């Protein structure tokens, strides 16, 4: 297993290099002036000043020089201050949010994380339960229902589903509003008496002992959570079902039944744990996808996470901002993939013992 | 032994053998494995429903000028708009200005001769019905272009990778990994946002973005199919009788390995159209007023608080898009069962 993990670790820098080259390539469609937003806050209107910036930051240099500068930034010879450099986590300035891309990520990411944490629980638990039930009662009522459910789930475009939720639960019933918080609640949250321990709103409100704010935050998150769950359940049910069906055909399951074990013991103790391997991988990917900013869901519900920020920036053609988000997400993706693969190696005896 | 037992090269015995079952011309043409895939697709009620949905949309796309005659025949994709007020108007309300010509089926069915907004108008008085009907053509156009392009790229990359093997294979597969690492929707957003100022608002930026980040799956599938076909006996036989490598690849390996990828790709249209609609819902892509389902839906974004009054501006285009994607998914679901290696041989 040692060599497996080492091989897997060696792949990380390769992927990182590839992703940066790919993004750098797309960056070359922009003019040097637009690219200067990687280093300076305000792009001057004056031609001389623009030329000065292009010279200073070498935006007219050969590509490999520019790539290197993009990676490590430029250190001012006099002040010793470094500007730019994605290796140091400096993604440049966001024209549309008028702040640094880093700041934008820092303020938006906790909201996305909050949503992810609450969405993951129903997705995984209900998805696995339904998948196991469908496999145990193969071709029975639950199986057929789960199949129809998952085909509808994969066919429903996220934004159509989201808009329908808004139509029913917001416009008609007035139960769950879009956005992040009601006005009264955000006044309290941004006042000095409210302590931000974790910057995850739901957890902070509980730590502050404000159940009303917790409830308000949940009310705003319920529709995005349901949308995300419904769309992801489909894949979960399908994978759990087929893995479980395969396990139930194994000889050791027949042995367990022949020993006279009760059916629920056979399923819960013998079959299900072994059927969970592909589901663990899927769960990992699901969390990664959710963390990557669920662009469309957040946009539909006007939920201020990183996905919505990226979509807003893209609609206004603010490429630098979206690039920052893409690199950030790529990084999360690579690291989380690594964690999932290593975890998988620990769980699966076939990998662990080889 | 009689003289007649000597081999003459004309094997009469072989001519008399009959297969255990009838083999149709189609099966001879496709080969038994591909024929099995095709038959599996036409077997379940779900996939037949899928084919019916697809056929319905093909009909709408072909008959678009008859169903909804365009106001401007030179530019039929422009959704006709009835005025400029932003507030949507309900279903079956009359056209007040810029009414397009009446379609031939309207009078016999409705017994009136004034054209109405069958499904209402959306923000900016764009007619929802026209958006849906002509949007079907947009959907098929983008779907076909993207699927054909990603399929070709996937075939080329995948077969080069599988054919050369070794270091080339390793490098190409790492490139595939890199493309898969970038979150798809963000990557597509960046590329579309970068390209839009260069080539203007049209279908093209989104199409290029979808092609650039859409070929990897096909490359992987064709690669693994080629690797397995490469080991088959008939390839060995071709090698033994001295067929050239390039000929083995193009005449013997690819035709035998391409079918699953081909079916997979053709069913990818549903996904492509879905993603394309999502991009234009986010405001990337075509000009305002171009018949495109994603854009018709995005008109609703400003009316979220009053959707209870204007439900028709999301329900109809949303239903259309969902049914379109569902048609392809139903067939695709049957395909997954047929292609599952554990199901092979059980038709």
């Amino acid at each position: 297993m040692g060599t497996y993990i080492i091989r897997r670790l060696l792949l990380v820098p390769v992927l990182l290099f590839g992703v940066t080259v790919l993004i750098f390539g797309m960056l070359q469609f922009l003019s040097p002036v637009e690219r200067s937003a990687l280093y300076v806050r305000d792009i001057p209107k004056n031609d001389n000043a623009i030329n000065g910036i292009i010279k200073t930051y070498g935006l007219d240099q050969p590509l490999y020089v520019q790539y290197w500068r993009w990676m490590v930034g430029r250190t001012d010879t006099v002040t010793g201050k470094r500007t730019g450099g994605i290796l140091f986590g400096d993604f440049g300035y966001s024209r549309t949010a008028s702040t640094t891309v880093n700041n934008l990520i820092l303020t938006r990411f906790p909201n996305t994380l909050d949503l992810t944490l609450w969405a993951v629980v129903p997705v995984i638990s209900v998805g696995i339960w339904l998948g196991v039930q469908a496999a145990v009662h193969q071709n029975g009522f639950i199986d057929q229902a789960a199949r129809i459910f998952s085909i509808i789930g994969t066919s429903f475009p996220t934004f159509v589903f989201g808009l329908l939720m808004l139509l029913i639960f917001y416009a008609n019933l007035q139960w769950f509003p879009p956005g992040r918080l009601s006005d009264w609640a955000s006044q309290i949250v941004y006042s000095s008496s409210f302590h931000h321990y974790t910057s995850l709103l739901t957890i902070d409100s509980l730590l502050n002992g404000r159940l009303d704010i917790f409830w308000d935050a949940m009310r705003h998150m319920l529709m995005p959570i349901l949308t995300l769950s419904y769309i992801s359940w489909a894949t979960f049910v399908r994978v759990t079902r087929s893995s479980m069906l395969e396990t139930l055909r194994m000889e050791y399951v027949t042995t367990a039944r022949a020993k006279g074990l009760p059916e629920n013991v056979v399923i819960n103790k013998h079959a299900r744990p072994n059927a969970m391997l592909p589901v663990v991988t899927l769960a990992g990917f699901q969390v990664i996808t959710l963390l990557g900013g669920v662009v469309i869901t957040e946009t539909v519900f006007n939920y201020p996470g990183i996905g919505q920020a990226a979509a807003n920036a893209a609609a206004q053609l603010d490429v630098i901002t979206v690039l920052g988000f893409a690199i950030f997400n790529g990084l999360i993706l690579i690291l989380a993939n690594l964690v999932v693969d290593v975890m998988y190696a620990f769980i699966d005896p076939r990998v662990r013992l080889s | 032994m009689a003289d007649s037992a000597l081999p003459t090269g004309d094997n009469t015995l072989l001519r008399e053998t009959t297969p255990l079952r009838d083999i149709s011309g189609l099966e001879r043409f496709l080969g038994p494995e591909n024929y099995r895939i095709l038959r599996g697709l036409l077997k379940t009620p779900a996939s037949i429903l899928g084919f019916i949905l697809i056929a319905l949309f093909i009909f709408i796309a072909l008959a678009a000028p008859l169903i909804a005659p365009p106001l401007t025949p030179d530019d039929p994709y422009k959704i006709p708009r009835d005025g400029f007020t932003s507030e949507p108007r309900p279903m079956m309300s009359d056209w007040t200005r810029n009414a397009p010509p009446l379609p031939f089926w309207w009078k016999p069915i409705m017994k009136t001769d004034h054209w109405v907004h069958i499904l209402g108008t959306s923000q900016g008085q764009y007619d929802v019905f026209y958006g849906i009907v002509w949007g079907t053509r947009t959907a098929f156009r983008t779907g076909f272009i993207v699927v054909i392009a990603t399929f070709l790229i996937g075939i080329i990359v995948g077969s080069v990778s599988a054919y050369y093997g070794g270091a080339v294979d390793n490098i190409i597969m790492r490139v595939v990994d890199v493309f898969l690492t970038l979150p798809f929707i963000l990557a597509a957003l960046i590329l579309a946002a970068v390209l839009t100022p260069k080539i203007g608002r049209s279908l093209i930026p989104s199409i290029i973005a979808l092609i650039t980040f859409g070929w990897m799956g096909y490359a992987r599938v064709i690669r693994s199919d080629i690797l397995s076909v490469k080991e088959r006996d008939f390839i060995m036989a071709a090698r033994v009788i001295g067929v050239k490598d390039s000929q083995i690849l193009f005449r013997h390996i690819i035709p035998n390995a391409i079918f699953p990828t081909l079916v997979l790709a053709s069913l990818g249209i549903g996904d492509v159209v879905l993603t394309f609609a999502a991009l234009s819902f986010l405001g990337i892509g075509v000009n305002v007023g171009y018949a495109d389902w994603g854009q018709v839906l995005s008109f609703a974004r400003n009316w979220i608080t009053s959707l209870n009054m204007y439900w028709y501006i999301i329900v109809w285009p949303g239903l259309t898009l969902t049914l379109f994607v569902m048609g392809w998914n139903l067939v695709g679901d049957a395909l997954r069962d047929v292609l599952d290696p554990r199901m092979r041989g059980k038709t």
Side-chain angles (χ1 to χ4, degrees), chain A residues 11 18-19 22 29 147 154-155 157 159 163 167 170-172 238 246 296 299 310 314-315 319 322 329 333-334, chain B residues 174 178-179 181 183 186 190 194 198 274 278 282 284 297 301 305 307-308 314 322 326 329 333 336-337 342:
Chain A
L11 200 60
V19 169
L22 189 61
F29 284 105
R147 188 161 195 160
T154 42
S155 308
F159 55 102
L163 286 171
L167 167 66
Y170 177 57
N172 273 319
R238 180 180 290 150
E246 204 183 339
I296 294 162
T299 310
V319 178
V322 195
N329 277 351
L333 223 90
I334 291 174
Chain B
R174 292 299 80 75
V178 166
F179 272 83
T181 301
L186 277 183
I190 297 173
V194 161
K198 295 256 180 285
L274 178 65
L282 292 175
I284 291 280
L297 277 162
R301 280 172 68 180
T305 44
L307 277 182
N308 47 345
I314 60 164
T322 308
M326 193 184 289
N329 276 354
D333 205 49
R336 202 178 7 248
D337 284 353
R342 281 161 296 189

Side-chain angles (χ1 to χ4, degrees), chain A residues 30-312:
Chain A
L30 296 181
S31 68
V33 184
E34 290 169 300
R35 271 183 278 135
S36 62
L38 286 169
Y39 306 102
V40 292
R41 184 182 289 271
D42 297 305
I43 302 171
K45 299 276 182 292
N46 171 331
D47 276 354
N48 273 333
I50 289 177
N51 286 334
I53 284 173
I54 291 177
K55 273 269 160 337
T56 321
Y57 294 99
L59 293 168
D60 49 357
Q61 303 266 313
L63 283 183
Y64 61 91
V65 178
Q66 285 196 43
Y67 176 76
W68 181 245
R69 172 142 305 157
W70 184 56
M71 295 306 278
V72 300
R74 173 182 179 277
T75 313
D76 197 298
T77 39
V78 186
T79 58
K81 246 187 81 187
R82 183 182 44 75
T83 42
I86 59 161
L87 278 185
F88 300 100
D90 187 342
F91 298 132
Y93 293 96
S94 166
R95 170 163 62 81
T96 46
S98 21
T99 172
T100 62
V101 176
N102 298 35
N103 266 339
L104 193 59
I105 293 177
L106 276 179
T107 50
R108 294 305 189 93
F109 187 62
N111 286 338
T112 299
L113 191 62
D114 209 6
L115 183 61
T116 306
L117 291 179
W118 287 101
V120 158
V121 179
V123 166
I124 294 183
S125 52
V126 177
I128 291 178
W129 178 81
L130 211 55
V132 170
Q133 292 305 314
V136 172
H137 306 282
Q138 193 190 1
N139 294 329
F141 173 73
I142 294 187
D143 191 24
Q144 299 297 348
R147 188 161 195 160
I148 294 172
F149 175 82
S150 84
I151 285 183
I152 297 178
T154 42
S155 308
F156 238 122
T158 321
F159 55 102
V160 175
F161 191 80
L163 286 171
L164 286 181
M165 300 272 291
L166 283 169
L167 167 66
I168 298 168
F169 293 114
Y170 177 57
N172 273 319
L173 297 173
Q174 302 273 335
W175 287 354
F176 308 116
R180 186 71 179 100
L181 279 177
S182 308
D183 288 341
W184 63 267
S186 43
Q187 273 176 13
I188 298 172
V189 168
Y190 294 112
S191 68
S192 53
S193 60
F194 190 89
H195 297 285
H196 295 268
Y197 301 101
T198 58
S199 65
L200 297 181
L201 199 53
T202 48
I203 296 175
D204 280 349
S205 58
L206 287 181
L207 289 177
N208 278 286
R210 295 296 304 245
L211 273 178
D212 50 343
I213 290 181
F214 174 77
W215 172 236
D216 192 60
M218 283 311 271
R219 245 163 54 96
H220 286 82
M221 271 166 35
L222 217 86
M223 282 197 296
I225 289 176
L226 266 176
T227 308
L228 290 177
S229 312
Y230 187 59
I231 308 286
S232 338
W233 272 331
T235 355
F236 255 95
V237 171
R238 180 180 290 150
V239 171
T240 315
R241 175 181 178 273
S242 72
S243 163
M244 188 71 188
L245 275 180
E246 204 183 339
T247 316
L248 284 174
R249 283 194 214 109
M250 296 280 187
E251 283 173 359
Y252 71 86
V253 174
T254 317
T255 313
R257 283 194 179 129
K259 282 195 301 189
L261 289 178
E263 188 64 16
N264 65 335
V265 176
V266 174
I267 289 166
N268 293 331
K269 284 258 158 65
H270 293 249
R272 203 179 55 194
N274 284 296
M276 283 303 110
L277 289 172
V279 184
V280 169
T281 322
L282 181 68
F285 283 123
Q286 206 73 51
V287 176
I288 297 166
T289 325
L290 289 179
L291 277 182
V294 271
V295 177
I296 294 162
T297 312
E298 288 181 356
T299 310
V300 171
F301 293 108
N302 203 15
Y303 184 89
I306 53 175
Q308 191 222 25
N312 276 348

